[in-house]
Amino acid sequence: MSGSAQPPAGFQPPDWRAREVALLAPWAMHAADSAGRVHPEPAHPFRGPYQRDRDRIVHSAAFRRLAHKTQVFTGYHGDYHRSRLTHTLEVTNIARTLARALALNEDLVETLALAHDIGHPPLGHAGEDVLADLLRDEGGFNHNAQALRIMELLESRYPEFPGLNLSREVLEAQAVRKKDGSAPPPLLETQVVDAADSIAYDTHDADDAIELGLVTLDELLELPLVAEAAARVDERFGSLTAADRRRAVIHELVDFQVAELARTSLATLRSLSLGSAADARAAFGTETPGRRRVVAHAPAVSAAKQELERFLFERVYRSDRVLAVRDPAQQKLAELFRWYIAHPEALPEGYRRRADAFGVPRSVADYLAGMTDRFLETDHTRRLGG
């Protein structure tokens, strides 16, 4: 029967250690060299440590809630534009492509990509701004720091330890994203995920903005990065319908950035003659002047991306239409924060217990940051009447 073939007698899948030796470049982070976990655990019989980390992220409540958290467009309930989860999956796909092209550890890259936004509160960056302001005397709020807090403390799914007990390399990568100078130079796998995140949000935020009527493709075509992508599309396909051309341009934008980043970064890696992941750390900041990372675009592409990002900030993220929807939502989050500060007994039991160690404001923020957009609306109505 088709599809029913069995492996030969005595077949054993290759050990993950041998697989890494066969597939990964010397500059990759080999899981066999991992610094381990904060709370030691027995090795799994057939899954490597970063495979286990990936699975723990996917099975976490924080990851599931990303499906109903805003990426950019608060209050727009259409089915087309990205949620925080679909953005995460797009980042993961791009990051895995780059990891394979550079012979890096795909299991680690996938883990970092899947985890990179789990600390986002409801309403996306708009919600983060509210909590940062409300906690300005309590150490502030940052979604990258919150993700680390989830990993190490809040996501308690195992009886043996708090948090998810992820590998130290995963925790370190998230600490790098905090950008507070507390982490060592990033692994190449960390750099790949940051680059993939930039490619995804630059391109897909533009796509969503067109779909919502905030900008037009013609306006985006005034930017060199987009204009050059459109020229390549027109040369390849000739005349297309407006909808097909738009989709093709978005696809080309992603494809071009990924391919250029892979080519440029691989050339840099080969020029540096790196023999280990430790060498890759040491090379951080030593490549072409003006570029801090080994995994980086050529200067001309970086400049074109920055121009696209400025356009999105001015015309999309700060547009009157987006702000008109965002501001009332931010007000509801602030009102709910103040309500729980006045009624800490209404917090779930785990948050009440942690308030003794971390204070009521931080525990209230932990609870609110875990909410989805729609639960925020529901809880605000329940507590404050709408």
Side-chain angles (χ1 to χ4, degrees), residues 197-209:
D197 189 24
S198 172
I199 291 170
Y201 66 66
D202 281 356
T203 309
H204 297 140
D205 288 357
D207 185 32
D208 286 350

Side-chain angles (χ1 to χ4, degrees), residues 63-83:
F63 181 79
R64 292 196 301 276
R65 291 179 184 134
L66 294 177
H68 301 288
K69 291 194 176 189
T70 290
Q71 169 64 12
V72 172
F73 301 106
T74 304
Y76 291 91
H77 299 299
D79 294 330
Y80 183 87
H81 59 276
R82 276 80 178 170
S83 68

Side-chain angles (χ1 to χ4, degrees), residues 5-27:
Q6 298 296 314
F11 172 80
Q12 291 291 332
D15 180 79
W16 60 264
R17 297 170 187 82
R19 184 176 183 276
E20 287 192 348
V21 169
L23 296 178
L24 301 189
W27 52 67

